[in-house]
Amino acid sequence: MLRDTAAVLAATERPREASPAHDRTVLEKDKFRPELRAARPPGTMRSMNLMPGLSRQALAARGFRGFVPFLDLPVSDVPAGHGVYVVIRMAVSPPSFLSSSPAGHLKGRSPSVAPCKLADAWVDGATVVYVGKAEGRNGLRQRLTVYRRHGTGQRAGHWGGRYIWQLADSDTLVVAWRPTPHASKAEQALLDEFKIICHGALPFANLRNSTRNR
């Protein structure tokens, strides 16, 4: 499957500067060039062409279910057991970032991140913006409930993945899940697949195994 994505990695162009708009920062696309990654100015976005292997259709074919907005999670048939889940941004247009996060604080820590840091984490064209897992005492239903509550401003233990709440269109994000007793392995496999396609980049809101500071 990864070989099928090789043909989409060719197009490149130089990054363009970001421009603010009212209380949000709107950042234009730049094309990802692996050989220039170290020289990419802070606050500019890595770009990647669309990835068929991690599209909604491909994920559905691999057993993912749901594909519902966070708002609809309470009325969705989310399994209670262990599993892996993904957050998908269907729009392929450049993102707009809010200047502050609406998510809840946790242990006195603000969830807000500077828009330039969000831009640095963004991989343009990658519809998967976060990969997570539910294991131990927290099954998929409980884990996604906590994630949703955190995004509404409540204090909830889902600090990982908080970047998504500063997307101006976070209300359009959809969540999909796949039950598996091997949640950690399934999560890592998806992250590894994404990193191979994107030459080491992680999904936008995943901070684990990366050089980004929490």
Side-chain angles (χ1 to χ4, degrees), residues 152-170:
T152 63
Q154 301 181 58
R155 285 193 291 180
H158 203 302
W159 194 248
R162 69 188 185 278
Y163 281 15
I164 69 166
W165 304 121
Q166 266 180 268
L167 288 168
D169 58 356
S170 64

Side-chain angles (χ1 to χ4, degrees), residues 83-163:
V84 63
Y85 57 95
V86 295
V87 180
I88 300 171
R89 180 178 184 259
M90 299 304 297
V92 295
S93 57
S96 298
F97 301 122
L98 302 177
S99 58
S100 61
S101 175
H105 286 56
L106 184 65
K107 297 180 179 179
R109 300 172 66 188
S110 171
S112 296
V113 178
C116 62
K117 187 173 182 178
L118 297 173
D120 189 57
W122 187 258
V123 181
D124 191 27
T127 54
V128 172
V129 295
Y130 183 69
V131 177
K133 67 177 183 294
E135 59 182 2
R137 292 180 297 176
N138 295 320
L140 284 165
R141 186 183 306 159
Q142 176 63 21
R143 189 64 176 153
L144 290 176
T145 295
V146 172
Y147 201 1
R148 177 184 60 80
R149 291 178 58 219
H150 185 235
T152 63
Q154 301 181 58
R155 285 193 291 180
H158 203 302
W159 194 248
R162 69 188 185 278
Y163 281 15

Side-chain angles (χ1 to χ4, degrees), residues 24 34 48-49 57 60 69 90 111 114 133 141 153 169 173 193 201 205:
R24 62 185 64 173
M48 179 62 56
N49 287 324
Q57 292 78 8
M90 299 304 297
K133 67 177 183 294
R141 186 183 306 159
D169 58 356
L173 300 175
E193 181 177 349

